[in-house]
Amino acid sequence: MKLLSTKIRGSIGLKKGMGIDEISLDLSNLSGLIALDGENGKGKSTFLESLPPYPVMPSRKGALQHQFFLKESCLDREYLFNNDRIRCLVKINGGSNYSPEGFIWINDQPKVEGKISSYKELIQEIFGSQQLFYNSAFCSQGSDNLNDLDPADLKNLFAEFLQLNKYIRWEDISKASGKILNGKLAAVEKSIMVLESKRHEYLPDTSEKITEARQQKEQAEKELTRLTGMIKTITDKIEVEKKKITENDKLVSRSADIKKSLEQVQKDLETEESQSRSELETIRTKAQGIISQLKQHEETLKDKDAIEKAVEDIENMNNELALCRASINKTNDIISGLSTRISELDKQRRELTDKSTKEQSEISTIITDLQKQRREHQFKLETAQNDNSVSSFEAELLSLRKQTEILNKRNEDPNCPDHNARCFFVASAFESKDKIPEIEKKIEAKKQDLKKAKDTEEKAIADIDKQVEEKQAELKTLQEKYKTEFTEIDDKITRKNDMKFKESEALKSTKNRLDAVEKKIAELRPTAAKADQIKVAESQVENLKTQKEEVTKEGLALKGKWDTKLNALRKREQETASLLQDIEKKIDTEVDARLTKLNTELSGLTSLQETTQKNITDTESKIKDLEREALELEKLNKDLDAAQAEKSTINSQISLWAYTQNACSKDGLRALEIDSVVPNIVHETNELLLNSSFGTIKIITQDPDTGREVFRIYVIDEDGDEVPLELRSGGQKIWPVQALRLGMTLISKQKSTYNYLTAFNDELDGPLDVENAKRFISLYPQFMQKGGFDTCFFITHKKECVELADHRIVFNCGITVE
């Protein structure tokens, strides 16, 4: 599996770390060691854990959707696996309780379209189980220690990468076959038990049972005759009661008709009363309207003078309103023009601000770049100034000169026994004397190199300081220039705003006067509106008085007419109610209860009749069964012999399938293959640890004392001591555990179809010092070479470890690939 590209959208970790919602990276051209470099909290672990195809964040608890915040979050990755391009997309509704959706395309052909369970199944089929992947090709922060897995979990893990599924499949087939045969055996045994039980049911006195059954039948037939006579008597009584019910139905029907007639009379009476009230109310309303109009016209005539004055005042005020509105329109035009000019000045100021910011930013960027160059040259200068190689050479020269002092003493002492340089000390002094010119040349050459380097760096620093000073002066001149232009624009804006304020105050005063006049007009308008009413009132008063007298006479005549009509309807209502009472007295109200009682008795007798008839039928059937029993007994004996023979055959087949199941079980061939691969894992692990000065490991899969299955890792130090891994400190455990994971991954590539080409390692060197961390990182190139890995992503916070990588993915305010 080689990672080609990734797109991450809506990740909380990346949002908190760098403030970005989405990243997309093309990683197809990267190979070798790839370091994820950046400060703590920038989202490196989040990014690393988002690269594999599994829909999990292995070092984070909780559902995947709780690690994302956007409604349309996603993880979109593309891989090259066994020459197929596989795209894995997981859509996530961030922060919700909705499950993610999964999509998979293989060579642009859709294989999974939305269902996350189908996504997980296909991912496991292609890339292996999640447990295998996160214990080999991917190592996250806080991942389970292999030393902590129980033997059962380790066997399942090994079974997957050793491709022991064939044994599991054979075991399942054997188990299923045995289950089927056991079912057949149970059925045969049940059949035998049933046959034996039936055989015991047959009794030797069959003829006596037949005689007894015939006597029971005769008694039942007599009882059936008696019950039939009783049923006939009750049926006749029921017919009598049904006739009475028919008569009742006729009376009830007649009663219902009279009730409807009564209801109709009552309804007609109610309708007529309502109509009479309505017509009389209409006359009253008409009379009241006439009286009301008359009073209104009389009241209107009382205010005649006030109404005529209100009309005159409104006409004068309307003229004043016209003048105010004209003034308001003019002032609004002036204010609008001032607002437009202010907006134009504001736009000029914004454009000037943008221009100023851009030019100053460009100069500031140049200054920053120059200062960065100066720091680099300063670092090189300090490196040259702090170079101790000259001192080292001078110390060596001083040591050599001290060793040559013996030659001076030898020349000064004529009694020296060794003038032919055979003495070790003399020989060593001559050797030191020969080395002195070479050391002196090295000192002189190094001094010249250091002086040249210092001069070069000091000149470069001086040039940069001059450029920085020039750019700072340029920046200051630019700032003064823009300050003057900003002041001019601000003065113009202030003057225009003052003019706008004065016009606004004048507009407010005019509007206040306009409101006062309109308010006064509104107060006078109701009074002025009555001007037309004066003329109408003067012409209508006499006519309304005549109408009032006519309406009064019409109301008295209508009331007399309705009183006569309503009295006739009330009399008819009383007569219909009396007739209804006479009919209801003739209805027999107890007939239903008597009929129910008779039906209950009939039902009981009928049930007894049916039971008796059934007894007769059952007895006849029993007689036939007894007659057939002798023939069946012979057949039962033959069936029982056949079932016993079949049972023996099935037992033999069950034994064979049970043997196959045990041979293919986790304690059989699978256990043997797992035990055989452990030495290979140990070998691969120890080869990776060979250059680490850590020692080696060994793994025990069976306790030598108890014989129980175990998985214990021992560390073998250089002195041969074997120490259980769990007794080592946290930093000491890192080496063997990671090497063991890498060794398992190498064996997995040899044994399984999961051809991982990319490995992932989170920050594992944290507890180590710099030198040990560099040696720890050196495990990865060996692992990649042995396993044919194309890329290996890893996280470290040690600069020296980052420098070992072939590429860097830098996390700052965004992500860049170097």
Side-chain angles (χ1 to χ4, degrees):
M1 177 184 72
K2 175 175 173 58
L3 180 63
L4 299 178
S5 65
T6 183
K7 176 182 177 182
I8 307 170
R9 173 175 170 78
S11 168
I12 294 175
L14 295 179
K15 182 68 173 179
K16 287 183 177 180
M18 297 179 290
I20 58 178
D21 292 347
E22 178 181 319
I23 62 168
S24 293
L25 290 179
D26 180 1
L27 305 172
S28 59
N29 294 325
L30 298 186
S31 61
L33 275 178
I34 303 171
L36 276 59
D37 187 17
E39 298 176 357
N40 275 328
K42 288 294 185 179
K44 298 186 297 299
S45 293
T46 299
F47 174 79
L48 188 70
E49 293 182 6
S50 301
L51 299 181
Y54 300 92
V56 296
M57 303 293 280
S59 69
R60 290 161 173 77
K61 295 181 179 179
L64 183 64
Q65 54 267 32
H66 297 154
Q67 309 302 326
F68 292 80
F69 67 94
L70 292 178
K71 185 177 181 181
E72 296 180 351
S73 301
C74 72
L75 290 172
D76 192 357
R77 289 72 46 95
E78 188 171 11
Y79 309 91
L80 184 65
F81 189 70
N82 293 338
N83 296 322
D84 291 324
R85 292 181 70 91
I86 302 174
R87 181 187 174 197
C88 301
L89 170 62
V90 179
K91 293 184 178 181
I92 306 154
N93 191 342
S96 73
N97 290 322
Y98 295 107
S99 295
E101 293 182 297
F103 301 84
I104 298 176
W105 294 265
I106 299 180
N107 297 325
D108 299 326
Q109 297 298 315
K111 300 298 180 181
V112 175
E113 298 185 279
K115 195 172 182 180
I116 194 64
S117 58
S118 300
Y119 177 94
K120 291 178 180 178
E121 290 174 2
L122 186 55
I123 288 297
Q124 179 163 332
E125 179 182 337
I126 296 173
F127 299 111
S129 74
Q130 182 174 306
Q131 184 184 25
L132 173 64
F133 184 80
Y134 287 108
N135 275 296
S136 55
F138 191 107
C139 184
S140 64
Q141 288 188 11
S143 59
D144 291 336
N145 193 329
L146 292 175
N147 194 45
D148 297 332
L149 294 177
D150 58 41
D153 290 336
L154 282 163
K155 279 193 174 183
N156 291 333
L157 188 63
F158 287 166
E160 181 171 4
F161 73 75
L162 292 175
Q163 288 189 315
L164 302 183
N165 293 330
K166 60 183 179 182
Y167 296 122
I168 297 173
R169 186 169 65 256
W170 293 345
E171 180 188 9
D172 291 341
I173 292 172
S174 301
K175 186 176 181 181
S177 299
K179 188 175 181 182
I180 293 171
L181 289 172
N182 280 321
K184 286 185 177 181
L185 179 63
V188 171
E189 289 177 340
K190 183 177 180 182
S191 178
I192 292 171
M193 189 168 58
V194 170
L195 291 171
E196 289 178 342
S197 176
K198 284 185 177 181
R199 187 170 62 175
H200 289 302
E201 290 175 359
Y202 293 105
L203 299 175
D205 54 347
T206 305
S207 58
E208 294 178 3
K209 292 291 181 180
I210 292 174
T211 302
E212 184 181 346
R214 285 173 179 169
Q215 291 174 353
Q216 290 177 355
K217 177 186 175 185
E218 184 178 351
Q219 291 175 357
E221 287 174 342
K222 291 179 181 179
E223 178 66 14
L224 181 62
T225 302
R226 186 183 70 84
L227 290 173
T228 303
M230 294 177 66
I231 289 172
K232 175 69 171 60
T233 302
I234 290 178
T235 303
D236 294 340
K237 291 181 180 180
I238 288 174
E239 290 301 321
V240 173
E241 295 299 334
K242 285 183 177 179
K243 289 180 181 179
K244 290 183 180 180
I245 288 175
T246 302
E247 294 174 0
N248 271 357
D249 290 342
K250 293 178 181 179
L251 291 172
V252 169
S253 176
R254 176 62 177 154
S255 173
D257 293 339
I258 294 173
K259 283 181 180 179
K260 289 180 180 179
S261 178
L262 178 60
E263 290 173 357
Q264 185 61 45
V265 171
Q266 291 172 342
K267 188 181 294 184
D268 292 343
L269 179 60
E270 184 178 350
T271 301
E272 295 295 335
E273 287 177 343
S274 176
Q275 187 175 351
S276 71
R277 286 194 298 271
S278 176
E279 291 184 7
L280 290 172
E281 186 64 29
T282 301
I283 294 296
R284 291 192 194 95
T285 302
K286 183 177 180 182
Q288 289 173 355
I290 293 170
I291 293 170
S292 175
Q293 290 181 44
L294 185 60
K295 288 182 179 180
Q296 185 178 359
H297 289 319
E298 289 174 348
E299 289 295 325
T300 300
L301 292 173
K302 290 180 181 179
D303 299 329
K304 182 178 179 181
D305 294 339
I307 290 170
E308 291 175 348
K309 184 176 184 305
V311 171
E312 182 180 354
D313 291 344
I314 285 175
E315 184 178 354
N316 294 332
M317 290 179 183
N318 280 331
N319 294 332
E320 186 176 356
L321 283 178
L323 294 173
C324 288
R325 290 192 179 100
S327 176
I328 288 171
N329 290 336
K330 181 179 179 181
T331 305
N332 278 332
D333 291 342
I334 295 172
I335 291 173
S336 176
L338 289 171
S339 296
T340 300
R341 181 55 182 156
I342 290 170
S343 297
E344 292 172 353
L345 290 170
D346 285 338
K347 181 180 179 182
Q348 291 179 18
R349 196 182 194 287
R350 288 193 299 273
E351 291 173 350
L352 188 63
T353 300
D354 293 341
K355 183 179 178 183
S356 169
T357 302
K358 179 180 178 182
E359 293 180 1
Q360 292 183 51
S361 176
E362 290 173 352
I363 296 174
S364 298
T365 300
I366 293 172
I367 293 173
T368 301
D369 292 341
L370 289 170
Q371 290 174 339
K372 181 180 179 181
Q373 295 175 22
R374 189 186 190 284
R375 287 194 296 272
E376 293 174 353
H377 287 295
Q378 184 66 35
F379 176 76
K380 292 178 180 179
L381 177 60
E382 291 173 356
T383 301
Q385 290 173 343
N386 297 328
D387 192 298
N388 296 322
S389 56
V390 173
S391 300
S392 176
F393 286 140
E394 290 176 343
E396 184 179 357
L397 179 62
L398 180 61
S399 175
L400 293 171
R401 285 175 174 169
K402 285 183 178 180
Q403 292 180 33
T404 60
E405 289 177 358
I406 193 172
L407 297 176
N408 296 330
K409 292 179 180 180
R410 175 172 174 269
N411 294 329
E412 293 171 0
D413 188 357
N415 298 320
C416 177
D418 189 356
H419 284 277
N420 297 321
R422 289 191 303 273
C423 172
F424 169 77
F425 297 101
V426 173
S428 179
F430 275 113
E431 184 178 348
S432 297
K433 183 178 180 181
D434 293 339
K435 290 181 180 179
I436 287 175
E438 182 182 350
I439 295 299
E440 288 175 340
K441 289 179 181 179
K442 286 183 179 180
I443 291 173
E444 186 60 31
K446 190 64 178 178
K447 285 182 178 180
Q448 291 178 2
D449 290 343
L450 290 175
K451 184 177 183 305
K452 183 179 178 181
K454 290 177 184 178
D455 293 342
T456 300
E457 297 304 326
E458 286 173 350
K459 182 178 182 304
I461 290 171
D463 292 341
I464 291 172
D465 288 341
K466 182 178 179 181
Q467 293 178 51
V468 169
E469 184 178 355
E470 291 173 354
K471 288 297 177 181
Q472 287 176 339
E474 182 181 347
L475 179 61
K476 184 175 181 182
T477 302
L478 187 65
Q479 290 171 341
E480 291 297 328
K481 171 195 170 188
Y482 281 113
K483 181 178 180 183
T484 302
E485 294 181 11
F486 279 129
T487 302
E488 292 176 358
I489 292 176
D490 289 341
D491 289 344
K492 290 179 182 179
I493 291 173
T494 301
R495 288 195 298 272
K496 295 298 181 184
N497 278 325
D498 290 343
M499 293 171 66
K500 182 179 177 182
F501 175 77
K502 291 178 182 179
E503 292 296 334
S504 296
E505 290 298 315
L507 179 63
K508 189 185 298 183
S509 175
T510 305
K511 284 183 176 180
N512 289 338
R513 178 56 187 162
L514 179 66
D515 293 341
V517 174
E518 287 179 341
K519 182 178 179 183
K520 184 63 178 175
I521 290 174
E523 292 173 353
L524 293 173
R525 187 171 284 115
T527 303
K530 296 178 181 180
D532 294 335
Q533 297 176 7
I534 296 295
K535 296 178 182 179
V536 173
E538 289 176 343
S539 62
Q540 291 290 327
V541 169
E542 291 302 324
N543 184 34
L544 289 171
K545 288 179 179 180
T546 302
Q547 291 179 22
K548 177 181 176 184
E549 292 176 0
E550 292 175 353
V551 168
T552 302
K553 292 177 182 180
E554 182 181 356
L556 292 172
L558 184 62
K559 186 175 183 307
K561 168 191 167 185
W562 279 111
D563 286 343
T564 301
K565 192 172 183 179
L566 292 174
N567 288 334
L569 284 172
R570 291 188 183 102
K571 182 179 179 182
R572 183 180 170 188
E573 178 186 16
Q574 291 174 356
E575 293 173 350
T576 305
S578 178
L579 178 60
L580 179 62
Q581 289 178 356
D582 292 340
I583 292 173
E584 288 179 344
K585 288 178 182 179
K586 296 177 182 179
I587 297 173
D588 187 349
T589 57
E590 297 179 356
V591 65
D592 290 333
R594 293 197 300 272
L595 181 61
T596 300
K597 182 178 179 182
L598 289 171
N599 282 328
T600 302
E601 292 179 12
L602 179 62
S603 176
L605 290 171
T606 303
S607 177
L608 286 173
Q609 185 186 40
E610 292 173 352
T611 302
T612 304
Q613 182 63 55
K614 185 177 183 301
N615 287 338
I616 293 171
T617 304
D618 291 345
T619 303
E620 291 174 345
S621 176
K622 183 178 180 181
I623 292 170
K624 292 179 181 179
D625 290 341
L626 289 170
E627 292 171 344
R628 196 169 50 245
E629 184 175 315
L631 296 175
E632 291 181 352
L633 182 59
E634 183 180 356
K635 183 178 181 301
L636 281 174
N637 288 327
K638 291 180 180 179
D639 292 343
L640 189 57
D641 292 339
Q644 293 286 2
E646 184 179 1
K647 176 181 177 182
S648 176
T649 301
I650 292 173
N651 277 325
S652 176
Q653 293 175 345
I654 287 174
S655 298
L656 290 174
W657 283 114
Y659 175 81
T660 305
Q661 180 181 345
N662 291 330
C664 298
S665 69
K666 63 180 181 180
D667 298 319
L669 295 174
R670 285 153 56 190
L672 292 175
E673 288 218 25
I674 291 172
D675 289 342
S676 68
V677 83
V678 168
N680 294 336
I681 294 175
V682 172
H683 172 74
E684 295 290 352
T685 303
N686 287 334
E687 280 203 347
L688 291 173
L689 291 172
L690 190 61
N691 298 324
S692 66
S693 300
F694 178 82
T696 57
I697 68 164
K698 78 173 185 178
I699 298 175
I700 296 177
T701 59
Q702 188 176 49
D703 191 316
D705 297 327
T706 64
R708 293 177 57 189
E709 287 185 321
V710 296
F711 189 84
R712 293 177 185 163
I713 304 172
Y714 287 86
V715 178
I716 305 174
D717 292 332
E718 293 181 354
D719 57 6
D721 287 343
E722 296 182 2
V723 182
L725 178 63
E726 60 265 23
L727 300 181
R728 289 300 179 99
S729 65
Q732 291 176 318
K733 285 182 180 179
I734 292 173
W735 288 87
V737 170
Q738 181 62 4
L740 181 57
R741 283 198 183 95
L742 300 178
M744 286 179 62
T745 304
L746 295 176
I747 297 299
S748 171
K749 290 198 66 173
Q750 298 171 17
K751 297 284 186 178
S752 73
T753 58
Y754 308 131
N755 185 24
Y756 302 134
L757 297 179
T758 303
F760 307 85
N761 292 280
D762 208 337
E763 185 182 359
L764 304 176
D765 59 345
L768 304 177
D769 58 32
V770 173
E771 289 304 318
N772 277 319
K774 288 168 67 177
R775 289 159 59 203
F776 178 79
I777 298 300
S778 68
L779 287 174
Y780 297 152
Q782 299 177 57
F783 161 71
M784 292 173 66
Q785 183 178 3
K786 289 175 68 66
F789 280 83
D790 181 78
T791 51
C792 177
F793 294 87
F794 71 96
I795 297 177
T796 178
H797 284 289
K798 294 181 173 62
K799 179 181 178 182
E800 293 81 359
C801 292
V802 172
E803 292 174 352
L804 298 175
D806 300 303
H807 300 279
R808 286 197 313 158
I809 299 179
V810 183
F811 290 70
N812 195 358
C813 295
I815 297 180
T816 56
V817 179
E818 298 180 357

